[in-house]
Amino acid sequence: MADSDTLSHFLQQQHAYVHGSKPAVAGHLVRVVGLTLEATGCSAAIGQACSVETARGAIMAEVVGFANDRIYLMPKDDVAGVVPGAKVTPLLNFKGVPLSMNLLGRVIDGVGTPLDGKGPIAAQHYGGGKGKPINPLQRRPIKQPLDVGVRSINSMITVGKGQRMGLFAGSGVGKSVLLGMMTRGTSADVIVVGLVGERGREVKEFIDEILGDEGKARSVVIAAPADVSPLMRLKGCETAVQVAEYFRDQGLDVLLLIDSITRYAQAQREIALAVGEPPATKGYPPSVFAKLPALVERAGNGSGSQGSITAFYTVLSEGDDLQDPIADASRAILDGHIVLSRALADAGHFPAVDVEKSISRVMPAVTSPEHQQMARTLKQLYSGFQQSKDLIAIGAYVRGSDPQLDKAIGMMPNINRFLQQGMHEVVGYDDSLQSLARLVPVSGSNGL
């Protein structure tokens, strides 16, 4: 049969199955290697959900590749109980993720199944994880600042509505706490939180202690902890973005927090290597670097009456190395980055935001010239002190040698107090600017 005839036959089959005139064609398992299932006899497309029979009941899997007449499936559940020759059936009526305002206050997994014990989520629309791309020429430009409730970010690394920011941090320097501070202090209408590949205990802690009842009422949490399959971790990120897109399409301003995009890349690496894709950089195959921008570009401002998605993606820097392949690739496709410093965290300086290494690429578009001048002056003072800190500590610096450094030395206690903030403290955007103006007065700044 010619290639065009084969494609036509397959499409006719799929159309017949979906419209109920034919049953789904089931196949059977012929091989299981690691987490990859190989089946023959199925008529299933890439991305289609399938049911796999096991000795303990059916599990779900998704088609992630094929070779000749074999299809490769990645399970969404534990593969314990899978037997040779198990029946594999395409799920033609699988709805996908429920999309409605009823998602607010709920906790779901990567495929939309509720985890909070509150029953099913009523919805008229369901999504399959892939959003409709927006023409880049139709997106509204970023012109308004977004209040995140954190003084150091509001004043020094101002975020705009529709911006995509990276939160670069090693382990244990307070990134989850900083995300929690943003959820409590943000002016966004809806908060979508994707907890992907992290510790399972963090999910309940984040919901109960960080979000709280007030934050939970306007939030949706998508949880795919470290012990779930790589497919569910991959779906966790994509579902979080799709839920954010739904609320943006309702005209709302959404704050999307994904912790972490590194786990998303690692999940794709596991899947791609399992189906035979060759590794490229530090074990990451090329598909990882294609999926990252595809995910990130779905956030941002909408067009027409749509709202906005302001996104923060945490990036785990292995060994605090900012040149890690995922960190490097993420930095190139994001609209700025916030770096959390282990040295600051070790010194008890929280949030451990390193304003010297952090930058917001849209800050000039959403702030006044006076604000930019004050932030630049403060950064110069902070940077000058950090560069000469060792000389000052050993007494090698002689006061009067550098007037700018003398000023920085005198102001550092106030600067450190300005940059620090309690985890339950919320500092609004206007208050942040007033504090900055008092610390670094600039002529012409009285209009702030």
Side-chain angles (χ1 to χ4, degrees):
M1 187 181 289
D3 290 344
S4 59
D5 294 338
T6 302
L7 178 59
S8 176
H9 177 67
F10 174 77
L11 293 175
Q12 289 173 6
Q13 279 188 320
Q14 289 290 307
H15 184 273
Y17 301 150
V18 171
H19 289 82
S21 58
K22 275 190 178 182
V25 175
H28 62 278
L29 285 182
V30 294
R31 190 167 182 252
V32 177
V33 180
L35 292 178
T36 309
L37 312 179
E38 298 181 19
T40 59
C42 291
S43 181
I46 296 289
Q48 187 164 2
C50 296
S51 171
V52 181
E53 290 186 354
T54 75
R56 303 179 180 180
I59 64 171
M60 286 183 60
E62 183 176 300
V63 180
V64 294
F66 62 84
N68 297 323
D69 62 340
R70 291 192 179 193
I71 62 170
Y72 300 136
L73 302 107
M74 187 63 61
K76 297 178 181 177
D77 307 295
D78 187 8
V79 296
V82 172
V83 297
K87 186 178 180 181
V88 180
T89 308
L91 298 176
L92 303 173
N93 59 349
F94 182 68
K95 289 184 177 180
V97 180
L99 299 174
S100 76
M101 298 301 290
N102 294 320
L103 280 168
L104 292 175
R106 301 300 300 270
V107 183
I108 61 176
D109 67 8
V111 293
T113 305
L115 298 176
D116 50 15
K118 296 181 180 179
I121 300 170
Q124 296 292 326
H125 304 285
Y126 293 83
K130 304 295 182 185
K132 184 179 179 181
I134 299 176
N135 186 326
L137 298 181
Q138 294 178 351
R139 285 186 185 268
R140 295 190 308 277
I142 300 173
K143 293 296 183 183
Q144 292 179 289
L146 180 76
D147 186 0
V148 296
V150 180
R151 182 168 48 232
S152 57
I153 297 177
N154 281 340
S155 58
M156 302 295 294
I157 322 159
T158 308
V159 177
K161 285 184 181 179
Q163 185 173 1
R164 289 82 55 94
M165 290 285 283
L167 188 60
F168 291 73
S171 57
V173 296
K175 64 181 182 346
S176 297
V177 174
L178 180 57
L179 291 180
M181 293 171 67
M182 292 182 192
T183 62
R184 285 190 297 271
T186 182
S187 59
D189 301 313
V190 175
I191 303 161
V192 179
V193 183
L195 301 176
V196 178
E198 299 299 319
R199 295 180 291 275
R201 68 170 180 80
E202 285 187 334
V203 177
K204 185 169 179 59
E205 286 181 3
F206 192 93
I207 295 169
D208 293 343
E209 299 178 15
I210 296 180
L211 276 181
D213 293 335
E214 184 179 347
K216 196 189 309 182
R218 57 173 178 150
S219 302
V220 185
V221 178
I222 295 88
D227 60 342
V228 301
S229 71
L231 183 64
M232 288 296 281
R233 280 178 268 140
L234 198 73
K235 290 290 184 183
C237 268
E238 294 173 353
T239 295
V241 176
Q242 186 170 42
V243 169
E245 287 175 326
Y246 169 78
F247 288 111
R248 179 192 63 191
D249 293 345
Q250 311 310 306
L252 301 174
D253 291 326
V254 182
L255 177 64
L256 172 65
L257 307 174
I258 291 185
D259 184 14
S260 69
I261 199 173
T262 304
R263 305 300 188 202
Y264 174 80
Q266 290 173 347
Q268 173 60 20
R269 176 173 64 181
E270 292 177 45
I271 294 172
L273 294 178
V275 298
E277 188 177 352
T281 307
K282 284 196 176 180
Y284 289 100
S287 62
V288 170
F289 302 101
K291 275 186 169 289
L292 282 176
L295 183 80
V296 169
E297 282 297 319
R298 291 168 61 181
N301 280 336
S303 60
S305 61
Q306 291 179 326
S308 65
I309 300 175
T310 306
F312 283 84
Y313 305 91
T314 67
V315 183
L316 298 177
S317 306
E318 296 182 6
D320 295 334
D321 179 15
L322 295 181
Q323 307 307 318
D324 172 82
I326 300 304
D328 197 43
S330 300
R331 191 164 47 243
I333 57 178
L334 293 168
D335 300 324
H337 52 273
I338 297 172
V339 178
L340 299 187
S341 165
R342 186 171 300 279
L344 290 175
D346 291 344
H349 183 293
F350 292 103
V353 176
D354 189 336
V355 295
E356 192 177 9
K357 295 181 180 177
S358 305
I359 189 170
S360 170
R361 294 178 182 173
V362 305
M363 185 174 175
V366 299
T367 57
S368 66
E370 293 80 13
H371 180 180
Q372 295 167 38
Q373 184 179 351
M374 289 188 295
R376 188 163 51 247
T377 300
L378 182 58
K379 183 175 281 192
Q380 289 169 347
L381 292 170
Y382 183 86
S383 179
F385 178 85
Q386 294 300 323
Q387 291 173 10
S388 304
K389 183 168 61 175
D390 292 340
L391 290 176
I392 298 169
I394 63 176
Y397 173 72
V398 179
R399 283 185 177 272
S401 303
D402 185 344
Q404 184 77 355
L405 183 54
D406 291 340
K407 183 178 180 182
I409 294 172
M411 291 182 63
M412 276 311 294
N414 291 332
I415 291 176
N416 283 328
R417 279 193 293 271
F418 173 80
L419 296 177
Q420 294 180 56
Q421 185 175 329
M423 65 177 292
H424 295 290
E425 182 184 359
V426 175
V427 182
Y429 183 75
D430 292 337
D431 290 339
S432 299
L433 295 198
Q434 290 172 9
S435 298
L436 179 62
R438 286 194 296 270
L439 183 64
V440 189
V442 175
S443 59
S445 64
N446 53 359
L448 288 170

